[in-house]
Amino acid sequence: MVSACGGGGEEETGGPGSEAAAELHDAQVLSLHDATLMPEGSESGVYSELVTVQYSEEVRASTELDKPECVDAANRWGDLDGVQDAPASIAAYEWPEGALSHMLVRLEPSVAEEAMATEPPESCSSYSATYEDGTSSEYGVSELDLPAFADESRAFAIEVTSADEQNNMYSVMYRNGGLLGTTSILGTGDQEDYEDMLVEFTEASIERQGQMLDG
């Protein structure tokens, strides 16, 4: 869920891969319909050093699940060898209908294929989480029936119920050669509208990658 909220400000971590990460960031969609890139909510650099990724790790470490195997159920590929040190970019968008974000990670093609093959156990279709502050949420995960993107893709929905509040995240994960991409929307809007935006935004992202990146 955290990755759908964007980063903590426009940043670029240094070191090896920073140039590749900057190229990924330049390949992000600038705008689509009424969704506009927010520089202050976006970042690029080594995957494991991104603020969004590190914050996700902190939340994960302090959260207790009734099904431990479901930790980071929608993002299990992040722990694979070859991902942690990979160049990456997270772009957050201002969109009236919800929180929209897109992540790009440059991987060896074999690692990208392995990431796509990494799926949560069937038991993770529903689980509960208790957070550090004592509050809890119920999670429901289901597949989305969307068109195929790039070389391969899959889409899913996560329903989160906390006390009297309910949120939904809809996400597409795809492989475009050695690029691994995810488009995510978080909010309480109409599912059909969100699915339409997922499709259009992901198609626009893949098209821009073809224009801006080599291979």
Side-chain angles (χ1 to χ4, degrees), residues 29-40 42 91-96 100 197 201:
V29 169
L30 299 178
S31 64
L32 182 69
H33 301 317
D34 52 352
T36 306
L37 181 67
M38 293 192 301
E40 68 276 11
S42 305
Y93 295 83
E94 184 175 11
W95 187 46
L100 172 65
M197 188 58 162
F201 193 94

Side-chain angles (χ1 to χ4, degrees), residues 101-132:
S101 69
H102 184 260
M103 176 187 287
L104 268 181
V105 186
R106 169 77 78 177
L107 301 170
E108 292 295 327
S110 61
V111 177
E113 291 177 11
E114 184 180 4
M116 285 298 304
T118 305
E119 299 187 43
E122 292 184 6
S123 61
C124 295
S125 59
S126 64
Y127 58 95
S128 62
T130 302
Y131 309 111
E132 193 171 23

Side-chain angles (χ1 to χ4, degrees), residues 46-196:
V46 175
Y47 177 84
S48 62
E49 297 177 4
L50 297 179
V51 173
T52 303
V53 173
Q54 292 182 345
Y55 180 65
S56 298
E57 291 289 335
E58 293 175 5
V59 172
R60 181 168 67 174
S62 63
T63 301
E64 181 179 342
L65 302 184
D66 66 333
K67 298 178 181 178
E69 70 272 18
C70 299
V71 168
D72 217 6
N75 194 37
R76 300 171 71 88
W77 54 268
D79 291 330
L80 293 175
D81 292 339
V83 173
Q84 291 289 301
D85 296 329
S89 166
I90 298 177
Y93 295 83
E94 184 175 11
W95 187 46
E97 304 302 321
L100 172 65
S101 69
H102 184 260
M103 176 187 287
L104 268 181
V105 186
R106 169 77 78 177
L107 301 170
E108 292 295 327
S110 61
V111 177
E113 291 177 11
E114 184 180 4
M116 285 298 304
T118 305
E119 299 187 43
E122 292 184 6
S123 61
C124 295
S125 59
S126 64
Y127 58 95
S128 62
T130 302
Y131 309 111
E132 193 171 23
D133 62 1
T135 61
S136 62
S137 297
E138 298 293 327
Y139 287 77
V141 183
S142 58
E143 294 184 0
L144 286 179
D145 184 16
L146 295 183
F149 301 99
D151 296 315
E152 55 180 324
S153 64
R154 65 173 182 265
F156 54 89
I158 301 178
E159 181 181 288
V160 187
T161 305
S162 305
D164 297 328
E165 184 179 3
Q166 179 174 314
N167 274 287
N168 296 287
M169 185 179 83
Y170 302 95
S171 187
V172 171
M173 178 180 176
Y174 64 90
R175 181 178 65 84
N176 185 16
L179 294 172
L180 193 69
T182 60
T183 307
S184 299
I185 297 175
L186 175 68
T188 58
D190 182 76
Q191 178 172 339
E192 185 175 344
D193 292 340
Y194 282 2
E195 289 183 359
D196 289 344

